[in-house]
Amino acid sequence: MMDYHIHTRLCGHASGEVEDYIEAAINAGLDEIGFSDHAPLPEKLRSGITMCPHETETYLERLYNARQVYSDRIDVKMGFEVDFPLFDSFDPAYFDDPRLDYLIGSCHFIDDWPFDHPDYIDEFSRRDINQVYEHYFSIMGEMASCGLFQVAGHFDLVKKFGHRATRDFFKTIEDIAQIMAKNDMAAEINTAGLRKPVGEIYPSENILRIFFDQNVPVTLGSDAHSPGEVAYMFDKTLQTLRNAGYRNISGFTKKKRYTIPI
Ligand SMILES: [Zn+2]
Ligand SMILES: [Zn+2]
C-alpha cells in the first residue's frame, strides 16, 4: 500500500523531516511513500504555503537521498502538488522532468480566492454557493483536459468547510470523469477531509461511484502535514473503496501507472 500525498517542512505549514515521514510510513506497513509538496506559488501568495522556486532542487535532492538510504525498506516516490490554473513560479520544465514519478494537480484558488484557507472562509457567505461549485469544477475539468497531471488532488476540496451546493453536479462530474479515464488520470482518495469540518474523504462516496462507473483509476493519500498523519484512516478508506467497487489501486513510477490489488 502507498501514501502518495505527503508534504514537508519546506512548504512552511508542515512539520517533520523527510525521514520522519518515511519512518512513519514504514511503521504503518506501507510499501511506498510519495512526496508531493506544494510547488512554488508566486511570491505574493506563497508565504507559509509553498516553498520558493529556488528550493525545488533542494526538495528533490532530499527525496533522492532518502530514496537511496531507505531503498531496501520502502519505495520513495518523488512528486509535486501543483496548483491549477498554473502559475509561472513553477518552472514548466518540471512537467517533463524524468526524475518525477507523478504530479498531482490541485485547485486551491478560485480566481485569487484561497477558498480552502480558514482565514478566507467568510467569502463563502458573500458568494452564490452553486456558482462557487460550478467555477471550481470548471477548473477541475480544465485540469483533467490539460494532460499534465497523473493525479487529480482532493477532487471536491470546495466542500472542506461543509458548504454544500444545492444543485446537482452529477453530469458535470461524469463529464470530467470521462476525460480523466481517457487521459489515464487517477483520482486521489484523500483522507484529509476526515480531519476537516466536512468530516468525509475527498472525493465523496457518491463521486467515487461515478469514478468507478467511468473507469477512473484511484490512488491514495493522507495529505499529511505531520508524520503522525501518514496513512491516516487508510483501513476504513480501503473498505470505502471496495464498497464503491474498486478492486485495485494505482501507483506511478516515472509517470507510468501500475495497479496493485486491494
Ligand atoms: Zn499544505
Ligand atoms: Zn492540496
Side-chain angles (χ1 to χ4, degrees):
M1 192 45 53
M2 73 279 281
D3 187 337
Y4 267 12
H5 197 138
I6 305 284
H7 291 279
T8 77
R9 222 158 40 81
L10 276 177
C11 69
H13 60 278
S15 59
E17 300 299 332
V18 166
E19 290 73 16
D20 299 328
Y21 288 94
I22 296 175
E23 296 283 351
I26 292 169
N27 289 337
L30 302 185
D31 313 295
E32 298 183 34
I33 180 168
F35 286 84
S36 54
D37 208 358
H38 298 284
L41 283 169
E43 194 173 0
K44 65 179 188 332
L45 295 174
R46 72 171 166 254
S47 175
I49 298 185
T50 75
M51 64 184 82
C52 300
H54 73 266
E55 291 173 311
T56 48
E57 283 302 306
T58 310
Y59 166 69
L60 293 177
E61 275 161 31
R62 280 182 196 171
L63 300 186
Y64 187 80
N65 291 338
R67 170 187 283 180
Q68 311 307 316
V69 170
Y70 285 93
S71 61
D72 55 348
R73 298 171 72 193
I74 193 166
D75 211 351
V76 176
K77 298 291 171 73
M78 296 173 33
F80 282 102
E81 180 183 20
V82 183
D83 272 89
F84 195 90
L86 300 175
F87 292 96
D88 60 9
S89 44
F90 184 54
D91 186 342
Y94 283 117
F95 287 108
D96 297 315
D97 191 317
R99 295 172 296 177
L100 297 176
D101 294 301
Y102 61 92
L103 291 168
I104 299 177
S106 291
C107 171
H108 305 102
F109 293 88
I110 293 173
D111 297 328
D112 52 1
W113 171 35
F115 65 85
D116 80 318
H117 195 299
D119 292 353
Y120 300 91
I121 195 168
D122 286 355
E123 184 67 15
F124 275 101
S125 59
R126 287 193 277 272
R127 299 197 185 199
D128 177 301
I129 191 63
N130 291 324
Q131 279 177 12
V132 169
Y133 268 71
E134 195 173 307
H135 197 159
Y136 175 80
F137 282 127
S138 76
I139 293 170
M140 294 303 281
E142 282 172 41
M143 187 187 75
S145 303
C146 81
L148 292 171
F149 301 101
Q150 287 65 51
V151 180
H154 39 58
F155 188 85
D156 55 356
L157 178 66
V158 68
K159 73 182 178 185
K160 177 174 178 177
F161 301 113
H163 304 90
R164 300 286 190 176
T166 55
R167 215 189 88 198
D168 184 30
F169 281 87
F170 179 90
K171 184 76 183 82
T172 304
I173 291 165
E174 191 182 57
D175 288 348
I176 301 172
Q178 286 170 356
I179 297 167
M180 290 168 69
K182 186 167 72 65
N183 287 348
D184 203 32
M185 183 187 202
E188 167 195 69
I189 311 308
N190 181 316
T191 60
L194 294 164
R195 309 189 291 268
K196 305 298 181 195
V198 71
E200 59 177 48
I201 54 169
Y202 310 112
S204 67
E205 291 179 42
N206 284 341
I207 295 177
L208 206 46
R209 273 182 222 107
I210 300 173
F211 285 169
F212 180 74
D213 288 343
Q214 299 301 327
N215 294 313
V216 176
V218 289
T219 184
L220 190 56
S222 64
D223 217 334
H225 285 74
S226 70
E229 292 172 346
V230 172
Y232 182 78
M233 301 277 265
F234 274 15
D235 286 347
K236 180 186 167 193
T237 302
L238 284 168
Q239 196 51 53
T240 305
L241 270 177
R242 288 184 205 106
N243 293 345
Y246 281 95
R247 292 294 174 268
N248 66 59
I249 194 163
S250 291
F252 294 88
T253 295
K254 296 187 185 298
K255 313 262 179 88
K256 287 268 179 296
R257 186 170 73 83
Y258 54 87
T259 58
I260 58 167
I262 58 169

